[in-house]
Amino acid sequence: MAVKGKVVVIAGASSGIGAATAKKLAAHGAKLFVGARREEKLKALVSDIQAAGGEAAYHLVDVTQKDSVQQFVDAAEAHYGQIDVMYNNAGIMPNSPLKDLKVADWEAAFQINVMGVLYGIAAALPIMKKQGFGHFIATDSNAGHVINPNAAIYSGTKFALRAIMDALRQEEGPNMIRSTMVSPGNVNTGLWKSVGDPELQKKARQREESIGLSPDDLANAVLYAIDQPENVGIDEILLRPTVQQN
Ligand code: NDP
């Protein structure tokens, strides 16, 4: 498989989609470098991967801090000597109606979901251009395609991310640097905890737990995108629970 031996860096790997993807890719022979803020979760993830015979290391990263992302990516390159895949997965979903004016939540969502990804690109793109190969992956969302009340900010971040990732694909594809978005509908990860509004949080939890895909379903999508021959770019995989309408 093309994924075997690839160095995959994941920002936002301590739980949910990122953790499941790290395990799946390691099981298929990739070398993982995982980061997030919760060290205990990262330690447990790395030891699970190693116990299963895989290769992994971790480094703390806060994607709201440009220098922290740079240090994370530099540490990955120093550890493995190259970076094949930079997967910018960190995200939050602090849904609320605009009238509630939760401006700090708006700022946090753009800082993590958009600037965090841009910092990842800023840190890894020069390395990939020097290498002459690489692959950026980002977790977008069906909310990057459809707009719903109470999700103005979350959708705004994911629409923005789609614009950035598609421009990156057009600019760097000719240089053999691939760009992929994985865009899920509901996934049962606990992302609902980042919804501040209690009523909306309850609804988000109910949706995730009743119909959500498993994080492993997303890991399969990421594996598919990485595992294609280098001349095949998977621009986006949009996947929802079959019963989810939008
Ligand atoms: P989780 O809450 O399980 O994962 C979020 C990850 O982001 C965690 O590893 C968390 O790590 C990390 N993260 C958050 N803030 C920061 C930060 N400042 N610095 C570094 N890492 C950070 O939820 P999911 O797995 O569901 O979320 C992953 C992605 O999937 C997100 O981008 C989300 O928008 C997207 N998504 C999820 C859907 C769902 O229904 N679950 C649907 C559509 C898209 P830590 O807290 O340890 O720093």
Side-chain angles (χ1 to χ4, degrees), residues 197-242:
D197 180 287
E199 259 321 292
L200 295 176
Q201 189 189 71
K202 212 165 113 192
K203 282 187 188 153
R205 179 179 192 173
Q206 202 269 336
R207 259 196 325 272
E208 275 190 30
E209 292 180 351
S210 60
I211 65 164
L213 299 173
S214 81
D216 199 55
D217 295 324
L218 273 296
N220 284 333
V222 176
L223 173 64
Y224 174 79
I226 295 175
D227 212 27
Q228 299 308 302
E230 297 301 320
N231 66 319
V232 179
I234 304 297
D235 304 351
E236 181 170 18
I237 299 175
L238 173 54
L239 65 167
R240 298 181 175 97
T242 308

Side-chain angles (χ1 to χ4, degrees), residues 62-145:
D62 179 348
V63 302
T64 66
Q65 305 300 315
K66 182 164 74 73
D67 292 347
S68 173
V69 178
Q70 186 70 55
Q71 285 158 15
F72 172 60
V73 170
D74 288 347
E77 191 195 20
H79 189 80
Y80 288 121
Q82 66 184 63
I83 295 176
D84 294 280
V85 180
M86 176 73 206
Y87 181 11
N88 293 303
N89 171 65
I92 57 168
M93 184 178 68
N95 287 349
S96 60
L98 288 165
K99 71 173 170 53
D100 285 358
L101 304 181
K102 295 199 169 171
V103 177
D105 284 357
W106 304 351
E107 288 168 347
F110 273 90
Q111 196 60 31
I112 294 170
N113 300 7
V114 181
M115 289 312 300
V117 175
L118 283 169
Y119 295 152
I121 293 170
L125 185 55
I127 294 170
M128 292 184 185
K129 289 192 77 70
K130 181 181 68 186
Q131 296 172 164
F133 60 84
H135 190 170
F136 283 100
I137 304 179
T139 312
D140 202 78
S141 174
N142 71 311
H145 292 262

Side-chain angles (χ1 to χ4, degrees), residues 187-204:
V187 190
N188 190 4
T189 60
L191 185 69
W192 56 265
K193 290 178 198 149
S194 65
V195 179
D197 180 287
E199 259 321 292
L200 295 176
Q201 189 189 71
K202 212 165 113 192
K203 282 187 188 153

Side-chain angles (χ1 to χ4, degrees), residues 140-169:
D140 202 78
S141 174
N142 71 311
H145 292 262
V146 298
I147 299 161
N148 284 301
N150 307 318
I153 304 306
Y154 186 64
S155 264
T157 65
K158 296 299 186 179
F159 270 74
L161 184 50
R162 208 147 64 80
I164 292 160
M165 289 300 291
D166 200 58
L168 180 64
R169 177 186 69 76

